[in-house]
Amino acid sequence: MSIQTVSTTPFEGQNPGTSGLRKTVSVFRQPHYLENFVQSIFDSQEGFRGQTLVLGGDGRFFNAVAIQTILKMAAANGFGKVMVGQNGILSTPAVSCIIRKYKTFGGIVLSASHNPGGPNGDFGIKYNIGNGGPAPEKVTNHIHALSQTIRQYRISDAPDIDLSRIGLYDMDGMTVEVIDSVADYAELMQSLFDFSAIRKLFANGFVFRFDAMHAVCGPYAKKIVEDMLGAPQGTVVNAVPKEDFGGHHPDPNPVNATELIAFMNGPQGADMGAATDGDGDRNMIVGRHIAVTPSDSLAILAANARAVPGYAAGIAGIARSMPTSTAADRVAAALGIACYETPTGWKFFGDLLDDGKITLCGEESYGTSSSHIREKDGIWAILFWLNLLAATGKTVGQIVHEHWRKYGRNYYSRHDYVSIDSQRAAALMDHLRAKLSGLSGQVFGSCTVEKADEFSYTDPVDGSVSERQGIRIFFTDGSRIVFRLSGTGTVGATLRVYFDRYEKDRLDMAVQDALGELIAIASEVADIAGFTGMTEPTVVT
Ligand code: G1P
Ligand code: ZN
């Protein structure tokens, strides 16, 4: 076995952006494509010789091939050890957990999150630093720059390692430790939640349905929910990870998790339903005839955190991404703690968590988490809800309605216009930008614009500034419309329009009806149909 230095030339656009490098599988399968990017990751780092790297992915198509390549490159580049999940499987939150627990140098997650998988689907690779969180922008920019000038990469010609058996292996002088994918993560969950209370809940006949969407959380949920918490076998459905997620879009929202929603609204139903995404960092919570919006979920977890052992001492602060509803702000105000508003994307929470400014954080896009790791965490959120139900004896619906009665309700929805022409999308945003200053004071039906701006964020910890993070129109009654372009798509552009309307007392309207006026205003002000050629959004969540 020996180390090879392979000549190569750069590929355009290896830009890891906010959530890692995400491209179609066909792009990743080009010769040298993955290798170039991995070498650029390693070249962006210093001091890893002899150190440990964590490696795993969500099991999607190309995961198994990529893992072997990365192992060989880690060996050739001088890592001392790689901890790799059995069969190459690790959820994103598990990678974060393992990096932190074993204080490793960093980790690599192979996933395109909730994007479809399979030979015609997407693949992705993300580098996480020693705090367990995604590499910050200065690192991802550096990786991108290196990928544009790369001339060679290093790789061992050692044979593949059998990743189906837990144990220690040698690869060209580097140790490969194949670890149980679930154990460390399960232990962390057990340290945060009242497992015996949840076990009692199940023993008393509580019916739960966990839809793993044929993605990475299947084995995690089986172990934690069925084995450790004693829920009946079969509680976790679609539990076997598949390379193409069974042909589904592993995104836990009411539009994509249709099977779960239909079951919850059907004759049998369950006391609680939950789903997770491709790599296990997103979650959806559903009760009988009620889907909890992620914005409400964050607010409710924050309001009730003391009921959970891991947060019994209270929480330091909350952060939410800007387009996420302001429900959490009201809870923070009531608790007398700070609520930070960050740009979209999990990386902005990392500093606030590291600095102890916040304990809980979340986004409207079905992501919630806390200081226990540096990623969002699907199973964590689901266990938090189970713990709340066990501690209070209430139903999901009761908890949500009681929350609204106390704090008021944020009617909330996101409308996505998917795969539109990139130039037209940019033109729509420019058109809005040009209008911003003239919007103040304008009256649309019963709504008056208070102000309109473009969100820019100054990180309170390191002072870095992120500009152009979404265009906002505020109304005098506290409602908001937010426009931004997605940063995670792989084809064309996606326009996201977010609607948030606060009501103190009118708590039982249908969401899209409650938002109807705002929806019409957004179409008019941004001329969505004119720019996109679409009269209806592609996805409404
Ligand atoms: C989307 C979500 C965002 C999330 C990101 C990664 O990004 O909107 O909240 O952090 O996926 O999961 P977007 O495509 O909107 O840039
Ligand atoms: Zn994800």
Side-chain angles (χ1 to χ4, degrees):
M1 286 182 288
S2 64
I3 286 162
Q4 319 282 312
T5 300
V6 181
S7 296
T8 186
T9 49
F11 291 91
E12 243 178 68
Q14 285 200 322
N15 196 335
T18 51
S19 317
L21 180 69
R22 270 186 213 173
K23 301 282 177 193
T24 58
V25 165
S26 54
V27 168
F28 266 103
R29 285 171 109 179
Q30 299 171 83
H32 309 309
Y33 190 89
L34 174 72
E35 291 85 343
N36 276 16
F37 191 70
V38 172
Q39 188 63 54
S40 303
I41 292 176
F42 294 159
D43 289 347
S44 75
Q45 299 298 307
E46 275 171 21
F48 58 75
R49 181 157 289 277
Q51 301 284 311
T52 300
L53 184 74
V54 179
L55 175 62
D58 64 8
R60 66 178 63 224
F61 185 83
F62 200 58
N63 193 71
V65 177
I67 292 260
Q68 297 290 348
T69 302
I70 296 169
L71 284 174
K72 290 169 199 175
M73 291 186 67
N77 278 276
F79 274 93
K81 175 169 156 183
V82 176
M83 297 172 79
V84 55
Q86 190 174 15
N87 296 315
I89 297 286
L90 285 176
S91 72
T92 293
V95 169
S96 189
C97 157
I98 294 164
I99 292 173
R100 291 171 70 77
K101 179 169 176 179
Y102 298 100
K103 300 187 168 50
T104 71
F105 186 84
I108 289 180
V109 191
L110 301 175
S111 171
S113 187
H114 49 286
N115 293 10
N120 301 315
D122 289 343
F123 191 74
I125 170 167
K126 183 168 80 164
Y127 180 64
N128 281 25
I129 57 175
N131 77 347
E137 208 152 56
K138 55 180 186 299
V139 177
T140 56
N141 286 344
H142 190 195
I143 295 171
H144 179 221
L146 290 164
S147 76
Q148 299 308 294
T149 54
I150 188 165
R151 288 285 170 252
Q152 56 186 39
Y153 61 83
R154 292 157 69 77
I155 188 161
S156 156
D157 64 359
D160 284 1
I161 282 186
D162 176 5
L163 299 179
S164 67
R165 284 179 301 126
I166 288 171
L168 293 171
Y169 304 85
D170 175 78
M171 181 179 253
D172 242 340
M174 180 184 81
T175 303
V176 175
E177 183 178 4
V178 179
I179 59 170
D180 182 312
S181 309
V182 181
D184 293 305
Y185 178 79
E187 191 185 292
L188 177 60
M189 293 301 110
Q190 204 167 10
S191 75
L192 295 171
F193 300 110
D194 187 348
F195 271 35
S196 72
I198 304 174
R199 220 178 282 123
K200 253 185 234 142
L201 186 73
F202 287 129
N204 290 336
F206 180 89
V207 181
F208 178 45
R209 188 175 177 93
F210 187 122
D211 190 337
M213 301 189 86
H214 292 303
V216 78
C217 277
Y220 291 84
K222 277 261 172 208
K223 170 84 191 278
I224 296 171
V225 175
E226 294 183 2
D227 299 353
M228 297 171 76
L229 294 170
Q233 294 289 316
T235 296
V236 184
V237 298
N238 298 323
V240 179
K242 293 190 177 164
E243 285 200 329
D244 66 349
F245 307 118
H248 297 301
H249 201 142
D251 198 4
N253 60 44
V255 175
N256 290 313
T258 43
E259 201 183 308
L260 178 66
I261 297 291
F263 182 84
M264 292 301 291
N265 293 336
Q268 195 183 347
D271 297 307
M272 177 172 145
T276 42
D277 76 330
D279 61 328
D281 58 356
R282 293 185 176 200
N283 77 91
M284 175 176 69
I285 305 292
V286 211
R288 284 188 193 273
H289 304 284
I290 183 167
V292 185
T293 68
S295 298
D296 278 349
S297 182
L298 173 65
I300 289 168
L301 300 189
N304 297 287
R306 281 179 185 272
V308 168
Y311 309 93
I315 55 176
I318 311 172
R320 62 164 174 84
S321 67
M322 183 274 284
T324 302
S325 97
T326 55
D329 304 42
R330 266 172 276 281
V331 174
L335 293 174
I337 56 176
C339 185
Y340 296 86
E341 186 176 43
T342 59
T344 295
W346 204 259
K347 64 180 181 182
F348 294 98
F349 297 139
D351 272 0
L352 299 172
L353 290 163
D354 282 347
D355 206 51
K357 286 190 161 32
I358 60 166
T359 307
L360 298 187
C361 46
E363 295 192 273
E364 53 69 40
S365 52
Y366 295 83
T368 338
S369 196
S370 85
S371 50
H372 68 294
I373 56 170
R374 293 295 179 273
E375 289 278 4
K376 55 196 169 209
D377 191 342
I379 290 183
W380 170 89
I382 293 163
L383 292 173
F384 204 131
W385 269 92
L386 285 171
N387 197 149
L388 284 188
L389 300 183
T392 60
K394 292 175 186 162
T395 66
V396 173
Q398 279 171 329
I399 289 192
V400 172
H401 282 97
E402 281 177 18
H403 188 89
W404 291 342
R405 279 199 291 278
K406 182 164 177 192
Y407 294 95
R409 176 175 181 186
N410 282 78
Y411 288 94
Y412 188 85
S413 181
R414 182 175 107 183
H415 291 195
D416 293 337
Y417 297 80
V418 177
S419 292
I420 53 184
D421 178 82
S422 300
Q423 283 178 358
R424 280 164 171 263
L428 180 148
M429 294 302 279
D430 283 341
H431 163 79
L432 265 178
R433 225 166 252 132
K435 275 187 160 181
L436 284 181
S437 56
L439 282 175
S440 301
Q442 275 202 40
V443 179
F444 297 88
S446 70
C447 306
T448 305
V449 177
E450 187 186 309
K451 59 171 185 173
D453 69 6
E454 187 158 26
F455 181 54
S456 102
Y457 177 69
T458 305
D459 188 306
V461 181
D462 69 9
S464 60
V465 178
S466 305
E467 275 165 348
R468 295 200 161 190
Q469 298 296 323
I471 289 178
R472 315 186 282 188
I473 305 177
F474 297 90
F475 296 86
T476 49
D477 69 348
S479 299
R480 295 186 306 162
I481 305 173
V482 175
F483 300 86
R484 58 177 286 281
L485 298 183
S486 158
T488 60
T490 52
V491 185
T494 290
L495 170 69
R496 303 203 196 284
V497 191
Y498 310 78
F499 303 96
D500 182 8
R501 169 179 165 192
Y502 177 67
E503 282 287 340
K504 183 80 194 77
D505 302 307
R506 297 171 68 199
L507 305 178
D508 289 309
M509 290 183 272
V511 176
Q512 299 301 318
D513 293 346
L515 297 173
E517 231 183 334
L518 293 178
I519 293 168
I521 296 170
S523 301
E524 183 188 331
V525 173
D527 189 11
I528 297 178
F531 281 100
T532 67
M534 295 162 91
T535 49
E536 294 293 329
T538 326
V539 184
V540 172
T541 49

